[in-house]
Amino acid sequence: MKKLKIVCLCLTSLFLFSCSNEDDITFVDEISLLEKSNTINWVGTWNSTYGELRLVEKGQLIYGDYADIGVIYGYRHYINGKEYFEGTFDNYRMNRKGIIRFEMNNSNFNNSFSGKWTWGNTPNWYNWNGTKTSKKEPILQSFYNVKGRVFNNSTFQTIQEPISIEVFKNGIRHFTTTSENGSYSLQLPRGNWELKVSNVAYQDFSRNIEVKENYDYNNYFTQNIYLTKR
């Protein structure tokens, strides 16, 4: 009977946890009930050393708002069996770019990180730590939608098979996405970017675009991609 009561109590606790609508208010109290796994999840809002971070994930890509100062973006990297979020931050106020490396303190809970940053042209690294305050995927303020269709340049028909699209700046790849049923979409910070496609079936494609805050007819930048068969 005691075992039955314990099982019922556990099931009731799990039910109340899953049905709570106050997800963020009770977030700290819910840490002990989070699924224990090795999956590292950076999605959410973070209170950090240098202001609030709002992060989302797309595959290996992690990016988001860096307070109201700029943007932060990078990839998952693995060093000696450990996973890191490594990448770049843009400080719009200072018009400078830096480098970050963050490590989740406890991958089972995904609620705090410790890390380092540098301007990239100096040997000095500084601490940048954070604690998650919300696990909901945030709405980003400093990233803008880029959408388009991928065409066969000879037939002007959309290419239905998946096409990998990479986004570069100064020769460094920062973002990537894959088309689906002839269309693609991604989010980019403002500035000049180079879209590239390298595919064994098609000739290389490259196109420079300028992402900005506002557009004349819609809330996203449209860039169609035309590929020529090899």
Side-chain angles (χ1 to χ4, degrees), residues 103-193:
E103 179 184 5
M104 198 75 74
N105 291 335
N106 188 327
S107 60
N108 287 335
F109 300 111
N110 296 302
N111 68 318
S112 66
F113 71 82
S114 57
K116 301 285 187 180
W117 73 274
T118 181
W119 286 122
N121 55 358
T122 69
N124 300 319
W125 287 78
Y126 307 94
N127 292 331
W128 191 339
N129 305 319
T131 302
K132 189 180 285 188
T133 59
S134 171
K135 56 188 175 183
K136 291 182 178 178
E137 182 170 314
I139 297 175
L140 301 183
Q141 300 175 4
S142 301
F143 280 73
Y144 307 97
N145 295 319
V146 177
K147 299 181 180 182
R149 303 178 72 187
V150 183
F151 291 96
N152 184 315
N153 198 33
S154 300
T155 64
F156 295 101
Q157 299 295 313
T158 56
I159 300 173
Q160 296 300 301
E161 64 262 32
I163 298 294
S164 177
I165 301 162
E166 299 177 315
V167 182
F168 289 75
K169 177 175 282 189
N170 299 324
I172 300 173
R173 188 193 71 173
H174 291 290
F175 297 90
T176 183
T177 189
T178 302
S179 67
E180 184 176 352
N181 298 323
S183 299
Y184 78 92
S185 65
L186 48 77
Q187 291 181 299
L188 295 175
R190 71 190 189 199
N192 295 305
W193 300 91

Side-chain angles (χ1 to χ4, degrees), residues 34-115:
L34 288 176
E35 178 184 5
K36 289 179 172 57
S37 69
N38 292 324
T39 301
I40 293 181
N41 183 1
W42 291 92
V43 174
T45 302
W46 300 78
N47 182 24
S48 84
T49 306
Y50 294 97
E52 185 177 84
L53 302 180
R54 296 176 292 277
L55 301 178
V56 301
E57 295 180 13
K58 301 295 180 184
Q60 296 298 307
L61 178 63
I62 304 165
Y63 62 92
D65 298 327
Y66 160 31
D68 59 349
I69 299 172
V71 294
I72 190 166
Y73 47 92
Y75 287 87
R76 298 175 186 271
H77 284 260
Y78 300 89
I79 303 174
N80 296 327
K82 285 188 175 182
E83 180 183 307
Y84 297 89
F85 167 24
E86 290 190 338
T88 301
F89 68 91
D90 290 350
N91 186 316
Y92 292 152
R93 293 181 182 177
M94 301 179 67
N95 194 28
R96 297 188 71 180
K97 188 184 298 288
I99 299 170
I100 57 99
R101 175 185 284 181
F102 295 162
E103 179 184 5
M104 198 75 74
N105 291 335
N106 188 327
S107 60
N108 287 335
F109 300 111
N110 296 302
N111 68 318
S112 66
F113 71 82
S114 57

